[in-house]
Amino acid sequence: MSRLEIIQIVGLGLLATVLSLIIKEQKPLFAFLLTTFTGIVIFFFLIGKIHLIIQLLQDLTEKSKINPIYLKTVLKIIGIAYIAEFGAQIVRDTGQEAIASKIELSGKILIMVMAVPIISVIIQSVIQLMPT
C-alpha cells in the first residue's frame, strides 16, 4: 500500500469522523449510517489488495503442494474474524457493548468450529512423527 493510499483512507476517516460528530447532535441515525458507510467504502477500497494477498497465498499453496482446502479454511477463518470485528465495532459505536461482545463471541466460536479439521490433521501428523 502506498503512502498516497493510506493518506486517502485516513483523510476519508477523519472527514467522516468530523461530519459524524457534527451530525450526531441533530440526527444520530444519520451519523450511524455515515460511519457504517465509511467503513464499507474503506473495505471496498482495500478489496484489490485483499485479492492480491489471496492470489499470492494460492500460488504458494500450489507450489508447496499443500491441499487447497486448508488455505480455503484459513481464509474463511480470517474472513469471519474481520467480519465479526467490523460488525462489533459498528454496534459498539452505537453504545451497545453487550451486543458487540456477543458478536465477537459468535465469531470466536465459528472460528473454532472451522479450525477443528485443521487441528485434527496437525494432531494426526504429530502422532505419526512420534516413535512407537
Side-chain angles (χ1 to χ4, degrees), residues 96-109:
Q96 300 297 320
E97 183 66 36
I99 296 172
S101 295
K102 303 309 182 280
I103 291 172
E104 289 172 340
L105 176 64
S106 299
K108 291 172 185 174
I109 290 171

Side-chain angles (χ1 to χ4, degrees), residues 1-2 5 45-54:
M1 177 172 284
S2 72
E5 290 171 322
F45 186 78
L46 297 172
I47 284 283
K49 305 296 182 193
I50 294 168
H51 179 71
L52 289 174
I53 293 168
I54 291 171

